[in-house]
DNA sequence: AACACTTACAACCGCCGATAG
DNA sequence: TCTATCGGCGGTTGTAAGTGT
């Protein structure tokens, strides 16, 4: 065999295109449990029909807990412009100066906004007024319906993804997504992570969940195995939502090594914004601390709230 | 309302350097 | 020294969402 480079994987056997929430969850779960020592073998071990590179990219650019999302601040944009002047298209180098930002994101922002601005800067000595106007542009469009975000609020010493001896980053900036959780976070400093989970009608997603072992084994049993607590603080018309919700609990307990500290913790609560959530403590072996899980429906109505 | 065009960004592709055998 | 493999990087593409006509 010559020096010709073998493809990183069998392209005919891997899925391409956008990641589904189910795939995201699988990847997050796997990396939380086992880390990502070998990207090439990870997809197989995690049960993902993706190539290792795709998993790595998805994790680094999107799922990593310390990745900062939302629009760039004026300072960040100025930093990028300055660094680009000295470094050129060395996006990873530029990204290393902007904690929480990925090279891919910086590259995109450069190509879509900053390149033009830099040209204007060159030609017209950088009109600060225009710059400020552009800064107020609407934030990047989050795909809220297909997003799983782990927001590390107060990271304990942990085993999660801190490569190269990275220091735990500050809490991610308040994006439109993160704002869902802010009220909860501020109420409990002991919560270490907020994991936001879409509760949507993504067929693939729920089919995957339904096929997971904990649920498979329940197929012959009625749904009320997750016995809906009528005394919960949700309305009675929430039965369906709460059943799904309890499925989630069961799944998370099994997959992420979570456990409720008391039965009361398993009862979902609503915050001031009407967001459903529940608090659970991770088992000691994971050492991730206490988490607050939030679920948001595609629209509040779908939960009858 | 329907279509065309533009924008934003997630994801893919292929190359490169480092490393192990 | 050569070769195979891997992670990482930068360029590019595909497409959903937004906007204009």
């Amino acid at each position: 065999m010559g020096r010709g480079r073998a493809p990183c994987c069998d392209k005919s056997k891997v899925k391409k295109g956008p990641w589904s929430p189910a795939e995201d969850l699988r990847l997050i779960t796997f990396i939380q449990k086992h880390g990502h020592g070998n990207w090439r073998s990870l997809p197989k071990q995690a049960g993902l029909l993706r190539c290792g590179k795709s998993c790595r990219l998805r994790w680094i650019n999107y799922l990593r807990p310390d990745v900062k999302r939302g629009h760039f601040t004026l300072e960040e944009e100025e930093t990028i412009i300055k660094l680009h002047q000295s470094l050129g298209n060395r996006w990873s180098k530029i990204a290393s100066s902007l904690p929480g930002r990925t090279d891919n994101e910086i590259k995109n922002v450069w190509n879509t906004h900053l390149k033009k601005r830099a040209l204007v800067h060159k030609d017209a000595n950088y009109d600060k007024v225009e710059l400020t106007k552009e800064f107020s542009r609407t934030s990047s469009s989050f795909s809220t319906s297909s997003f799983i975000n782990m927001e590390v609020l107060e990271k304990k010493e942990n085993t999660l993804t801190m490569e190269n001896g990275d220091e735990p980053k500050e809490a991610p900036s308040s994006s439109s997504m993160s704002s869902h959780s802010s009220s909860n976070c501020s109420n409990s400093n002991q919560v270490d992570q907020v994991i936001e989970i879409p509760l949507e009608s993504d067929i693939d997603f729920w089919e995957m969940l339904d096929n997971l072992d904990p649920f498979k084994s329940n197929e012959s049993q009625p749904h009320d195995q997750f016995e809906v607590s009528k005394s919960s603080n949700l309305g009675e018309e929430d039965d369906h939502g709460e059943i799904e919700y309890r499925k989630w609990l069961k799944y998370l307990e099994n997959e992420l090594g979570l456990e409720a500290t008391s039965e009361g913790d398993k009862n979902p609560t609503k915050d001031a914004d009407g967001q459903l959530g529940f608090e659970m403590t991770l088992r000691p072996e994971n050492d991730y601390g206490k988490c607050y899980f939030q679920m948001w429906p595609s629209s509040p109505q779908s939960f009858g709230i």
Side-chain angles (χ1 to χ4, degrees), chain A residues 5-58:
Chain A
R5 191 170 167 71
C8 65
C9 53
D10 185 350
K11 303 290 180 192
S12 65
K13 289 180 183 169
V14 297
K15 189 183 166 196
K16 288 166 71 172
W19 282 63
S20 69
E23 289 175 306
D24 283 346
L25 184 64
R26 250 185 209 282
L27 184 58
I28 290 170
T29 302
F30 183 85
I31 292 176
Q32 279 188 339
K33 274 182 161 178
H34 306 103
H36 51 74
N38 187 332
W39 286 111
R40 200 180 171 89
S41 60
L42 185 148
K44 196 176 177 184
Q45 292 169 357
L48 285 161
L49 291 173
R50 292 277 180 174
C51 100
K53 272 190 169 185
S54 181
C55 294
R56 177 185 158 271
L57 215 62
R58 183 65 181 169

Side-chain angles (χ1 to χ4, degrees), chain A residues 162-173:
Chain A
M162 288 299 127
E163 301 167 289
N164 308 322
D166 281 354
E167 291 296 317
K169 303 291 189 297
E170 62 182 75
S173 66

Side-chain angles (χ1 to χ4, degrees), chain A residues 134-236:
Chain A
E134 191 169 346
F135 171 62
S136 66
R137 66 187 155 79
T138 55
S139 73
S140 56
S141 57
F142 282 106
S143 176
T144 54
S145 64
S146 61
F147 189 86
I148 295 175
N149 183 38
M150 295 173 57
E151 185 168 352
V152 178
L153 298 173
E154 188 185 20
K155 190 167 283 185
K156 277 177 150 185
E157 163 193 6
N158 67 61
T159 56
L160 183 66
T161 73
M162 288 299 127
E163 301 167 289
N164 308 322
D166 281 354
E167 291 296 317
K169 303 291 189 297
E170 62 182 75
S173 66
S174 55
S175 67
S176 57
M177 299 302 302
S178 304
S179 65
H180 285 310
S181 55
S182 55
S183 56
N184 292 293
C185 308
S186 57
N187 287 343
S188 172
N189 288 334
Q190 291 178 323
V191 174
D192 296 317
Q193 299 183 22
V194 170
I195 299 180
E196 297 179 330
I197 299 156
L199 194 60
E200 59 177 338
S201 51
D202 180 323
I203 294 166
D204 180 38
F205 184 53
W206 290 113
E207 275 182 359
M208 180 278 262
L209 289 185
D210 287 340
N211 288 333
L212 288 168
D213 288 345
F215 309 132
K216 260 185 183 170
S217 61
N218 294 325
E219 272 173 5
S220 59
Q221 299 173 19
H223 252 140
D224 63 9
Q225 193 244 346
F226 301 102
E227 200 178 5
V228 177
S229 164
K230 292 292 181 189
S231 62
S232 78
N233 46 10
L234 296 174
E236 291 188 7

Side-chain angles (χ1 to χ4, degrees), chain A residues 56-93:
Chain A
R56 177 185 158 271
L57 215 62
R58 183 65 181 169
W59 174 256
I60 287 175
N61 289 335
Y62 206 78
L63 300 175
R64 224 172 22 154
D66 56 335
V67 70
K68 197 195 277 183
R69 306 203 60 77
H71 62 260
F72 281 61
T73 65
L74 181 58
E75 289 74 23
E76 284 176 318
E77 293 185 342
E78 284 179 331
T79 302
I80 292 168
I81 291 170
K82 280 176 191 161
L83 289 173
H84 189 269
Q85 281 174 351
S86 55
L87 297 170
N89 292 1
R90 296 168 70 187
W91 306 116
S92 60
K93 286 269 181 282

